[in-house]
């Protein structure tokens, strides 16, 4: 029987610097099923239906000079569904000069404020406060002012003379570019919204100018605030760097060339009765059906081309992006700003829900992470478009269990089930035929405090069940590359079932959690060796 020393040898025998000859995962080409990076389809073509709202005229014309025209529809077309609250439909309560209160159209105030000359950050703040009077006491626009204090005079002049003026024009085209209601992607539903990149840019320009009214009281706890005011009020240098990324995006789309493609924002939900019973799953770990390739270098967005790319999400899309947060999801949102439109659309995620953004374009590159994050340079995205006009960049956002405060045992059966169900919702493939691979990594292992070895194994289990190849980035997690490769080889060579590993994880959480995070693989080796002579 394998004893503790032998199991520990399996865990530590590999050095992160070992060559590929010592690796026990699969070649990278198997993650793409020996096909081209963009050959396997991820989603259905865009078609207007009860479950898919399309805000532009179909069909999409490949090679057209400009974006598709907006789709025209009445309020009745939403069938009573909740919709995005636009500044054109809201009222403002304003304090008059004589001290009395008056009610005025918010959009009239916005137009009046933005049509005035704005030549510096103080005037920009004053314009925003005009139709958001509560901002006077809620926010100090520290990061916004630092942004323009730190840039060169020529950059500051160009922004206010050219970029901001064009941003204003784009924002004020809201009623022209949206001729149909925008549905909210609310909880417990499967629904998608497709729009043009021009429409997305218009919404983001309005978010920059903070024109969106506050969510209604009934929605305040489950919807993000779309406006950028909290980012303007950031106190960290990373907040300034995020603003640099966003201003660069606006310079590109307003002053260089407006992109002519489209995007899809989709919410997927699986009711609890349709979830798997993980204790009875018969799938076995198989190198052919669910290959694994582990990399200690690279990033999901750079090396995961053509794959479904995982975002380690907050239950509110973007997490702390409109603030001082600056880790994986927040960074992805500022280098691909079209993701931020999802903050207007998605209600917070529940346990068996995921968000998808299909077609987001990358506009910036960056360096470093968290507090040392910096905007680096312009990025020209060469990702090809699909037949519907979307960049073939497919992103899934899954929020992990938060265990950093110590009040939640991530090895309990309840926690294990929560993460398996969440990953299952995101990994399921909606089309017949071979599913494209998934680019992922240490999901929920940073600010949320998760164990990287555990989260890697859970994703591997779900990849096995959904038959999705995994390209796993270890994100500098020491020794995880070789530990995960060794475990994968062990499970596939013995054709261990997912149900067996699930039962072992539950037993570990119930009886052996005191062994510590790093011993979960050790525990699996020992218990499988005890029950299976082939493991000796």
């Amino acid at each position: 029987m394998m004893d503790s020393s032998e199991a520990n040898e399996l865990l530590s025998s590999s050095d992160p610097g070992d060559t590929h000859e010592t690796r026990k995962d699969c070649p990278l080409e198997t993650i793409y099923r020996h096909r081209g990076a963009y050959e396997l389809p991820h989603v259905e073509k865009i078609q207007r239906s009860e479950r898919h709202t399309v805000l532009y005229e179909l069909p999409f014309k490949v090679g057209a000079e400009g974006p598709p025209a907006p789709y025209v529809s009445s309020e009745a077309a939403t069938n009573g569904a909740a919709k995005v609250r636009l500044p054109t439909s809201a009222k403002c309560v304003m304090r008059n000069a004589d001290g009395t209160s008056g009610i005025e159209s918010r959009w009239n105030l916005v137009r009046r404020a933005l049509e005035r000359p704005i030549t510096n950050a103080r005037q920009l703040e004053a314009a925003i406060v005009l139709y958001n009077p509560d901002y006077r006491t809620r926010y100090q626009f520290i990061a916004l002012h630092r942004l323009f204090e730190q840039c060169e005079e020529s950059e500051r002049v160009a922004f206010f003379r050219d970029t901001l003026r064009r941003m204003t024009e784009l924002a004020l085209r809201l009623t022209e570019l949206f001729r149909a209601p925008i549905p909210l992607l609310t909880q417990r539903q499967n629904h998608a919204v497709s729009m043009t990149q021009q429409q997305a840019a218009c919404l983001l320009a309005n978010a920059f100018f903070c024109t969106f009214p506050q969510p209604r009281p009934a929605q305040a706890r489950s919807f993000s605030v779309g406006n950028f005011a909290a980012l303007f009020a950031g106190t960290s240098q990373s907040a300034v760097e995020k603003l640099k990324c966003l201003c660069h995006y606006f310079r590109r789309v307003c002053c260089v060339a407006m992109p002519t493609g489209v995007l899809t924002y989709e919410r997927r939900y699986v009711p609890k009765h349709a979830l798997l019973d993980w204790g009875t799953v018969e799938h076995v770990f198989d190198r052919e059906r669910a290959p694994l390739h582990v990399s200690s270098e690279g990033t999901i967005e750079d090396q995961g081309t053509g794959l479904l790319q995982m975002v380690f999400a907050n239950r509110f899309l973007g997490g702390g992006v409109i603030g001082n947060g600056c880790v994986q999801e927040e960074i992805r949102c500022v280098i691909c700003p079209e993701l931020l439109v999802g903050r207007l659309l998605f209600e917070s995620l529940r346990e068996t829900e995921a968000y998808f953004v299909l077609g987001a374009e990358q506009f910036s590159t960056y360096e470093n992470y968290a507090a040392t994050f910096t905007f680096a340079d312009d990025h020209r995205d060469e990702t090809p478009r699909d037949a519907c006009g979307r960049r073939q960049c497919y992103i899934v956002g899954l929020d992990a269990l938060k265990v950093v405060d110590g009040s939640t045992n991530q090895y309990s059966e309840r926690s294990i089930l929560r993460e398996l169900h969440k990953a299952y919702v995101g990994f399921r493939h909606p089309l017949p035929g071979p599913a494209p691979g998934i680019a992922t990594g240490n999901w929920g292992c940073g600010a949320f405090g998760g164990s990287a070895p555990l989260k890697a194994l859970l994703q591997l289990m779900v990849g096995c069940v959904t038959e999705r190849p995994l390209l796993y980035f270890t994100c500098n997690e020491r020794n995880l590359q070789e530990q995960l490769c060794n475990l994968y080889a062990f499970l596939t060579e013995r054709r261990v079932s997912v149900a067996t590993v699930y039962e072992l994880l539950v037993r570990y959480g119930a009886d052996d959690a005191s062994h510590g995070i790093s011993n979960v693989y050790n525990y699996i080796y020992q218990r499988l060796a005890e029950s299976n002579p082939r493991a000796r």
Side-chain angles (χ1 to χ4, degrees):
M1 180 188 303
M2 182 185 296
D3 60 22
S4 297
S5 62
E6 290 174 303
N8 281 324
E9 185 178 353
L10 261 176
L11 283 168
S12 60
S13 61
S14 304
D15 185 283
D18 283 351
T19 64
H20 285 281
E21 283 73 16
T22 66
R23 298 269 298 274
K24 298 177 182 178
D25 57 354
C26 301
L28 183 59
E29 55 265 26
T30 64
I31 305 304
Y32 291 92
R33 302 189 187 276
H34 302 281
R35 307 189 190 197
Y38 303 104
E39 189 172 338
L40 291 174
H42 284 257
V43 289
E44 295 178 341
K45 292 182 178 181
I46 296 175
Q47 293 182 317
R48 189 170 285 111
S49 70
E50 291 184 355
R51 291 176 52 176
H52 196 151
T53 300
V54 183
L55 296 172
Y56 58 89
E57 291 288 352
L58 292 172
F60 176 83
K61 297 179 181 178
V62 178
E65 291 185 3
Y71 177 68
V72 180
S73 178
S74 66
E75 291 284 329
T78 59
N79 295 320
K83 55 185 180 294
V84 174
R85 194 176 176 213
L86 298 176
T88 53
S89 61
K91 303 286 186 181
C92 275
V93 178
M94 301 298 298
R95 182 70 62 182
N96 298 322
D98 61 2
T100 61
S101 294
I103 298 177
E104 188 172 356
S105 162
R106 182 177 182 86
W107 193 238
N108 284 344
L109 286 172
V110 168
R111 294 182 66 90
R112 191 184 311 152
L114 297 186
E115 286 171 350
R116 296 174 180 173
I118 300 175
T119 61
N120 57 55
R122 295 293 174 187
Q123 291 178 355
L124 176 57
E125 178 182 358
I128 291 172
V129 168
L130 181 64
Y131 44 87
N132 294 294
D134 59 314
Y135 284 7
R136 289 190 178 93
T137 55
R138 288 181 60 192
Y139 297 115
Q140 294 181 350
F141 286 23
I142 296 172
L144 180 69
H145 296 302
R146 284 182 182 170
L147 169 68
F148 294 106
E149 290 166 1
Q150 294 175 10
C151 68
E152 299 289 336
E153 175 67 18
S154 58
E155 294 176 321
R156 183 164 52 249
V157 169
F159 178 82
F160 286 102
R161 184 188 61 201
D162 299 323
T163 306
L164 192 75
R165 177 177 58 81
R166 293 174 186 267
M167 288 171 60
T168 300
E169 294 170 356
L170 177 62
L172 295 180
R173 293 183 65 192
L174 186 67
T175 55
E176 172 193 343
L177 293 176
F178 289 91
R179 307 292 300 279
I182 310 171
L184 292 171
L185 299 175
T186 53
Q187 294 172 349
R188 299 187 180 90
Q189 69 159 332
N190 289 282
H191 199 87
V193 174
S194 289
M195 67 180 69
T196 67
Q197 289 183 275
Q198 183 184 41
Q199 289 173 319
C202 176
L203 293 175
L204 290 174
N206 276 278
F208 183 92
F209 290 117
C210 304
T211 73
F212 292 102
Q214 292 292 318
R216 297 185 188 280
Q219 300 173 337
R221 292 188 177 183
S222 58
F223 279 92
S224 302
V225 176
N227 295 332
F228 289 177
L231 180 57
F232 295 156
T235 57
S236 64
Q237 182 59 31
S238 62
V240 176
E241 299 298 324
K242 287 187 288 185
L243 281 174
K244 290 180 183 179
C245 293
L246 295 174
C247 289
H248 176 72
Y249 161 78
F250 286 118
R251 186 188 69 81
R252 281 274 306 276
V253 301
C254 292
C255 301
V256 180
M258 178 63 69
T260 59
V262 301
L263 303 125
T264 298
Y265 302 85
E266 181 179 359
R267 187 187 198 98
R268 294 186 195 169
Y269 160 65
V270 176
K272 290 187 176 180
H273 67 79
L275 296 168
L276 299 181
D277 179 355
W278 292 91
T280 63
V281 170
E282 296 180 352
H283 291 75
V284 297
F285 290 89
D286 186 291
R287 298 174 71 89
E288 295 296 324
R289 292 185 176 180
L292 168 73
H293 182 87
V294 187
S295 177
S296 61
E297 298 179 348
T299 62
I300 291 171
E301 68 268 18
D302 289 335
Q303 278 69 46
T305 53
L307 305 176
L308 179 61
Q309 299 179 1
M310 176 88 139
V311 164
F312 311 143
N314 189 286
R315 67 189 185 95
F316 292 95
L317 187 152
V321 63
I322 305 300
N324 290 319
C326 198
V327 288
Q328 196 242 17
E329 183 179 21
E330 289 90 347
I331 291 173
R332 193 68 192 268
C333 283
V334 294
I335 65 173
C336 304
E338 291 157 335
L339 289 172
L340 292 172
V341 173
R343 292 175 60 82
L344 295 167
L345 303 177
F346 289 107
E347 191 172 10
S348 61
L349 295 175
R350 295 179 65 86
E351 288 191 351
T352 61
E353 297 178 333
Y355 75 71
F356 290 76
V357 180
L358 317 172
E361 184 169 340
Q362 183 177 341
F363 289 85
S364 303
T365 60
Y366 69 96
E367 294 177 354
N368 305 322
Y369 197 73
T372 60
F373 167 83
T374 56
F375 165 76
D377 206 346
D378 178 51
H379 177 79
R380 298 290 169 154
D381 198 331
E382 301 297 332
T383 305
R385 297 188 186 275
D386 64 18
C388 297
R390 294 174 291 209
R391 294 276 183 195
Q392 294 186 62
C393 173
Y394 304 107
I395 292 172
V396 56
L398 300 177
D399 55 309
L401 192 67
K402 194 170 186 178
V403 298
V404 69
D405 58 4
S407 62
T408 301
N409 174 15
Q410 63 187 309
Y411 290 99
S412 70
E413 183 172 16
R414 181 176 180 178
S415 296
I416 295 294
L417 279 174
R418 192 270 183 197
E419 303 298 69
L420 288 172
H421 291 333
K422 173 66 71 168
Y424 177 70
V425 175
F427 286 17
R428 287 199 318 165
H429 186 50
L431 302 178
I438 297 174
T440 186
N442 300 336
W443 173 43
C445 298
F448 279 22
S451 158
L454 173 63
K455 290 301 181 65
L457 178 55
L458 294 175
Q459 292 180 80
L460 186 56
M461 292 165 66
V462 180
C464 179
V465 169
T466 57
E467 299 188 359
R468 305 274 317 235
L470 295 188
L471 173 56
Y472 195 98
F473 296 94
T474 58
C475 308
N476 300 317
E477 184 75 18
R478 187 173 181 271
N479 295 330
L480 180 59
Q481 181 183 29
E482 295 302 329
Q483 290 179 16
L484 184 55
C485 290
N486 284 341
L487 181 65
Y488 179 72
F490 185 86
L491 297 174
T492 54
E493 288 168 6
R494 290 157 181 79
R495 297 187 63 78
V496 177
S497 72
V498 170
T500 297
V501 174
Y502 170 75
E503 294 293 345
L504 288 174
L505 287 174
V506 171
R507 286 168 57 189
Y508 178 79
D511 303 328
D512 298 272
S514 61
H515 286 184
I517 291 174
S518 63
N519 283 325
V520 63
Y521 291 1
N522 189 350
Y523 181 85
I524 291 171
Y525 288 135
Q526 292 185 40
R527 293 298 178 265
L528 288 176
E530 291 171 0
S531 61
N532 184 357
R534 293 181 61 193
R536 294 182 179 178

